[in-house]
Amino acid sequence: MDHNKLAELLFPHITKTPEEYMTTIYPRRQLPQGAMVTRFAPSPTGFLHIGGLFTALVNERAAHQTGGRIILRIEDTDRKRSTPESEENIKAALKWLGITWDEGADVGGPYGPYHQMERLDIYKKYTDQLLKEGKAYYCYCTPEELEEERQALLKDGKMPRYMGKCRHLTEEQKAQYEKEGRKPSIRLKVPENETIVVHDMVRGDVEFDSNGIGDFVIVKSDGIPTYNYAVVIDDYLMHITHVIRAEEHLSNTPRQLLVYEALGFEKPVFAHISLILGTDHTKMSKRHGATSVDAYRQQGYLPEGIDNFLALLGWAPQGEEEIFSMEEACKVFSMDRVAKNPAVFDIKKLNWINSQHIRKLTPDAFFELAKPFMVKAGYMTGDESGEKLDWLKRVVATAQTQVDYGAQVPEKVALYFTDDFDFENEEAVSVLKEETVPLVMKALIEGFHSLDELNHDSVKGVFKAVQKGNKLKGQQVYMPFRVALTGNQHGPELAEMIPLLGADRVEKRIMKSLEKAHVSL
Ligand code: GLU
């Protein structure tokens, strides 16, 4: 968009309410009344955090639920910490979770560019305007001077803020500072003794005292705008109707409202949604487990599991069905619900929800999920084919109902890959000391060898025949065999395991265990 067009969008004295403002946006964006135009505006300074994902999800649902649009804007003004890798990671994580954006980075759109560092000349235009109107001014204070002021205020028991030292510099003073080589920042003049009210969709009216703010920097000495400044210009020019973001930004909003006022911009609706909290109700951090979305992907969580979990703690009806698809979660979305639910990140709940989605996968999809973990464990190369691949698929399938996420598969199938194991405890060993054990073992091994085909039913048949033929209880047959075969008293169904191990390996394992337990046949 060229700058003359941008200038047309500037209305000098606007007194419209947010609702009225919407009515000017919809025709311009050719959207129906009530549609929400939202944005997700990550800073590419790290991985996508679970909390960031929650914000993205709410923005996406709000936009798409109402027939609106969501924009992905990259807030890359922190040049030291922003990296292209981080941006790619964030976009990949969003895509992995099925979050699509209608405008923004990669996809373009009519209100770009969508990277803040490509919008510097746009910000400059507004800064020049503020300077000309006397609403902003150059500040030549050095970091040392600012720190001195801060300390002095703190010493007097006052809230540290900029006291406006450079507000009224004369041209001579400015020239002197320039001569000294000082590079100025630009500050916004903040009115004194005013109450700034944030009308928040979630929190209602929240009041702030302008005296606690002080003239704040809108453009740093290197010419880069600060977050609180650039965000306002972008949200306005991109015709955002609803700024939906994490609660931690609520304290930034009064500053942003001051920028809206100074520029004469109409204001959007603000909604500050609850942060994701750990189970101890403090902000979710590393202490509570992995915080980056990518870490969950790498552990073999499913996007539908994570979406379901976030939707459940974000807006889904409580106490009803807890497992739903992305489409179903989208249907029940409403901003009112988001408002009421505090979000606590309970990893046990996520694991349970993910396990339910894992059970819904086709065997092939489950195998694909497990594959990288199986390769990493050294149980396969990934190049297998034919019988070997079929066997691997059958082995992996045994874990589908046992795991919460992909990385747990190898430990669940380990028993198929090594014939070395220890008895879990003394109690297990004592099971093998029962009088009937030698007879049972011999009969079962012979039975399995005699079968043409080892499968679930034929193996079960052998167990039944041995039990009945010797007038034994089920316990006396299954338990010692399980211990001798696996070392454990509990585990996967024997009729599932035995066909996968084959009669020879079964015999080898049994004989080794009996020898270890000093039981002779
Ligand atoms: N870049 C900010 C962040 O990542 C965006 C805040 C906002 O949505 O206004 O926290």
Side-chain angles (χ1 to χ4, degrees):
M1 181 184 266
D2 72 40
H3 288 178
N4 291 337
K5 277 233 179 86
L6 286 178
E8 278 169 32
L9 297 170
L10 253 175
F11 307 99
H13 300 293
I14 285 144
T15 50
K16 283 195 181 78
T17 62
E19 286 69 27
E20 286 165 336
Y21 171 50
M22 303 305 150
T23 64
T24 71
I25 288 184
Y26 295 131
R28 266 182 275 151
R29 274 194 166 267
Q30 300 187 319
L31 286 172
Q33 290 284 330
M36 290 188 186
V37 182
T38 65
R39 86 296 194 276
F40 181 55
S43 305
T45 53
F47 295 113
L48 183 62
H49 185 282
I50 284 280
L53 170 64
F54 184 60
T55 303
L57 210 54
V58 172
N59 273 289
E60 194 246 14
R61 297 297 191 249
H64 290 158
Q65 185 88 342
T66 55
R69 290 172 83 76
I70 173 168
I71 293 162
L72 177 70
R73 182 173 68 228
I74 305 295
E75 302 205 326
D76 53 357
T77 53
D78 184 342
R79 284 188 300 172
K80 270 200 209 108
R81 293 172 58 228
S82 297
T83 64
E85 294 75 34
S86 164
E87 179 183 333
E88 290 313 313
N89 175 283
I90 292 169
K91 289 185 296 199
L94 291 173
K95 284 184 201 159
W96 179 66
L97 283 141
I99 295 177
T100 55
W101 52 98
D102 310 294
E103 266 174 53
D106 290 358
V107 298
Y111 304 101
Y114 294 96
H115 285 76
Q116 287 190 324
M117 285 307 284
E118 291 169 21
R119 298 174 64 80
L120 295 185
D121 49 351
I122 299 176
Y123 307 129
K124 186 169 181 313
K125 202 178 81 70
Y126 290 106
T127 311
D128 290 346
Q129 178 194 320
L130 290 174
L131 287 167
K132 207 166 111 211
E133 292 175 357
K135 292 176 178 170
Y137 61 91
Y138 288 108
C139 167
Y140 292 88
C141 294
T142 62
E144 294 74 28
E145 286 165 352
L146 294 172
E147 184 55 27
E148 228 170 81
E149 181 181 74
R150 216 178 81 87
Q151 292 302 340
L153 284 167
L154 280 174
K155 220 169 121 196
D156 290 353
K158 292 195 184 122
M159 264 254 282
R161 63 181 170 124
Y162 185 67
M163 298 301 284
K165 187 172 158 210
C166 292
R167 245 197 203 211
H168 306 289
L169 292 181
T170 61
E171 289 309 314
E172 290 73 49
Q173 285 170 311
K174 282 188 209 169
Q176 179 58 34
Y177 282 138
E178 298 276 346
K179 230 170 87 189
E180 287 172 22
R182 293 195 188 197
K183 286 244 180 301
S185 60
I186 298 170
R187 289 180 185 269
L188 190 78
K189 277 189 191 158
V190 172
E192 277 178 43
N193 306 321
E194 269 192 27
T195 302
I196 304 163
V197 185
V198 177
H199 301 291
D200 194 274
M201 222 179 151
V202 178
R203 291 166 208 277
D205 285 357
V206 188
E207 293 187 354
F208 294 86
D209 180 357
S210 73
N211 291 349
I213 294 177
D215 297 349
F216 58 94
V217 174
I218 55 172
V219 181
K220 290 177 283 179
S221 57
D222 59 4
I224 308 287
T226 57
Y227 157 68
N228 279 320
Y229 182 55
V231 74
V232 169
I233 294 173
D234 291 347
D235 285 341
Y236 175 72
L237 292 179
M238 292 177 189
H239 306 325
I240 304 300
T241 64
H242 291 72
V243 169
I244 304 171
R245 60 187 168 205
E247 195 185 350
E248 60 193 335
H249 285 295
L250 182 61
S251 60
N252 285 320
T253 310
R255 286 180 179 76
Q256 293 173 22
L257 288 178
L258 289 166
V259 176
Y260 276 100
E261 289 289 333
L263 289 169
F265 286 171
E266 295 147 309
K267 299 173 188 87
V269 175
F270 290 98
H272 290 91
I273 57 177
S274 298
L275 288 175
I276 302 245
L277 304 178
T279 37
D280 58 357
H281 289 249
T282 60
K283 188 187 167 187
M284 194 188 159
S285 68
K286 287 254 158 64
R287 272 184 311 124
H288 302 104
T291 53
S292 91
V293 172
D294 209 47
Y296 290 92
R297 186 185 60 76
Q298 285 176 20
Q299 283 292 297
Y301 282 81
L302 295 172
E304 47 271 45
I306 293 179
D307 270 351
N308 186 160
F309 171 68
L310 290 180
L312 190 69
L313 63 83
W315 65 79
Q318 293 288 311
E320 292 172 30
E321 186 53 62
E322 292 191 310
I323 301 299
F324 35 75
S325 67
M326 295 194 211
E327 292 74 37
E328 287 161 346
C330 199
K331 267 191 224 134
V332 298
F333 175 86
S334 96
M335 273 306 284
D336 305 349
R337 283 208 176 116
V338 173
K340 284 179 207 118
N341 287 323
V344 173
F345 188 93
D346 177 358
I347 186 83
K348 283 198 201 115
K349 185 90 181 192
L350 169 62
N351 285 348
W352 178 75
I353 288 174
N354 203 63
S355 76
Q356 299 306 304
H357 284 277
I358 282 194
R359 281 159 172 72
K360 288 182 183 198
L361 294 176
T362 62
D364 278 343
F366 181 65
F367 184 68
E368 285 310 313
L369 177 76
K371 209 162 150 182
F373 305 104
M374 292 290 289
V375 170
K376 203 167 154 220
Y379 293 159
M380 58 184 286
T381 63
D383 298 326
E384 287 84 355
S385 60
E387 263 181 40
K388 178 82 201 188
L389 181 63
D390 288 345
W391 181 80
L392 281 166
K393 282 188 177 178
R394 285 169 61 209
V395 165
V396 166
T398 64
Q400 190 163 353
T401 53
Q402 298 183 59
V403 296
D404 295 334
Y405 48 89
Q408 290 175 330
V409 174
E411 71 186 62
K412 298 291 177 197
V413 300
L415 58 97
Y416 295 103
F417 295 89
T418 169
D419 294 330
D420 289 328
F421 53 84
D422 291 323
F423 296 114
E424 62 174 338
N425 50 33
E426 277 307 309
E427 199 189 317
V429 182
S430 68
V431 169
L432 297 180
K433 305 281 191 190
E434 293 292 322
E435 204 185 324
T436 50
V437 165
L439 165 92
V440 168
M441 298 293 158
K442 230 198 246 158
L444 287 172
I445 290 169
E446 272 168 22
F448 297 139
H449 276 300
S450 72
L451 291 174
D452 290 336
E453 196 199 321
L454 244 64
N455 58 40
H456 189 271
D457 291 348
S458 65
V459 165
K460 272 218 134 130
V462 170
F463 275 110
K464 281 242 159 68
V466 171
Q467 186 192 331
K468 283 209 171 129
N470 296 288
K471 297 200 174 49
L472 296 168
K473 285 192 211 123
Q475 272 292 90
Q476 293 175 290
V477 180
Y478 290 100
M479 191 53 97
F481 202 78
R482 176 184 292 289
V483 169
L485 195 64
T486 66
N488 289 297
Q489 288 169 279
H490 305 280
E493 210 195 330
L494 287 168
E496 184 179 63
M497 274 179 69
I498 291 165
L500 285 168
L501 287 168
D504 290 343
R505 266 181 87 189
V506 166
E507 179 177 356
K508 222 170 86 193
R509 288 165 78 129
I510 298 289
M511 299 310 284
K512 206 163 150 193
S513 290
L514 293 180
E515 198 184 308
K516 264 202 296 191
H518 309 294
V519 176
S520 47
L521 283 192

